[in-house]
Amino acid sequence: MATLIGIVAVLIGAFGVFIYFQSIVRVMLLNRREPDIIERCVRSLAVKIVHALAGGRHDYEDVQRAQAWILPIFIFLLVTSWFLLVQTSFSLVLWGLHVEEGWPRAFSSSGSALSTLGYLTPSTLLGEYLAVYEAAIGLAIVILIFTFVPGYQAAIQARERKVGWLFARTGRHPNCVTLLEALKKAGPVDDPAVWEDWENWFRGIHETHSLSPMLAYVPSVYRGTSWVGASAAVLDTASVILSTLDSKQTDAVRVCRETGVTAIRLIATELDENRPGQFHTYQSDNPKLIAGFDALYDKLVEIGLPVREDKEQCRNALVALRSEYEKSIHHIAASTLMPVEVPWVVAHANTAAMKGTS
């Protein structure tokens, strides 16, 4: 019986080491998204902690202060989880092979090797070999962390460059009108160079935020801003150009919008295990939507942009385009505590909000 228990302990320990290697490869080394149970559980716990810290805070700048802790908490919990998994797994192997007598001593010996402190090395040759391999795993964790964290920071910095660019031109409440006004001052609102830049930005968050969903929760470095609000404003603006404006140069706008919709949907799917958003669905005959679109249409005319004559057709086309990403935007916003106003990113028929004021 003792031999059978020892064999079972060794097999469980070996399986635990396998789970560790699988997890660390999926999280740090693969260039495609592979769901990992350890990363998912740790991310969920980190999100719950930050949501608790942010509870009761109504000003978004105060919420951002709590959000800023989510990446350090996530990394600390993830490293701790990996460390404990490896330590426990090797403890089971040492105990099952009778390299160390008693579970407390096996656990301590495993920690000695994993931490590379070497204060308790097994006296047998097999135990020494196991200690060497476990110490190598401990060193690998440290090395990977030194390369892992800068990669996260680089992805956030790349995202924030365009977020800062947009909020600097639209004010604290970006929407399709304020962005169109800013674009019109700089040149044609359908300038391919501008929309190709935003296409590249969406490709960037597609590659980073879907591969590492924790990045979606990391707040902007600029106070009161968010990448979710920037995404919504850009997608709304592209949808308005395609549905409402009489524009001849729309290829770059269309590709940017399609890239953005794909990215936002994929990121929303990766956040699905967290708190679901309260999605808003707008029908083309919704009175509030009609009033909001009428105000939007009149504002576009006031700005001097060429609008199509059939207002109802424009509204229906815009509703159809917006329905492709609206729920995903709201889901991400609710999960990350980053506010987004509706519809068209502004309050219904609130013309003051359309001017970027509140």
Side-chain angles (χ1 to χ4, degrees), residues 48-116:
K48 289 179 180 178
I49 291 173
V50 170
H51 279 193
L53 292 174
R57 303 187 186 191
H58 302 291
D59 185 79
Y60 181 59
E61 290 190 19
D62 290 336
V63 173
Q64 273 186 302
R65 294 188 183 95
Q67 286 178 316
W69 287 95
I70 194 163
L71 188 56
I73 291 173
F74 169 74
I75 293 174
F76 175 79
L77 291 176
L78 189 59
V79 173
T80 302
S81 299
W82 282 335
F83 191 96
L84 289 176
L85 175 60
V86 173
Q87 184 179 5
T88 303
S89 298
F90 270 91
S91 298
L92 286 168
V93 173
L94 294 173
W95 181 76
L97 293 175
H98 302 290
V99 173
E100 294 288 359
E101 295 298 330
W103 173 257
R105 187 172 178 83
F107 192 76
S108 180
S109 179
S110 177
S112 169
L114 184 60
S115 64
T116 69

Side-chain angles (χ1 to χ4, degrees), residues 190 192 195 199 242 248-257:
D190 53 8
W195 291 99
E199 176 193 341
L242 295 173
K248 307 298 182 184
Q249 192 171 247
T250 59
D251 283 347
V253 180
R254 177 183 55 79
V255 174
C256 174
R257 182 189 169 280

Side-chain angles (χ1 to χ4, degrees), residues 1-9 96 98:
M1 179 60 71
T3 301
L4 179 60
I5 294 175
I7 292 173
V8 171
H98 302 290

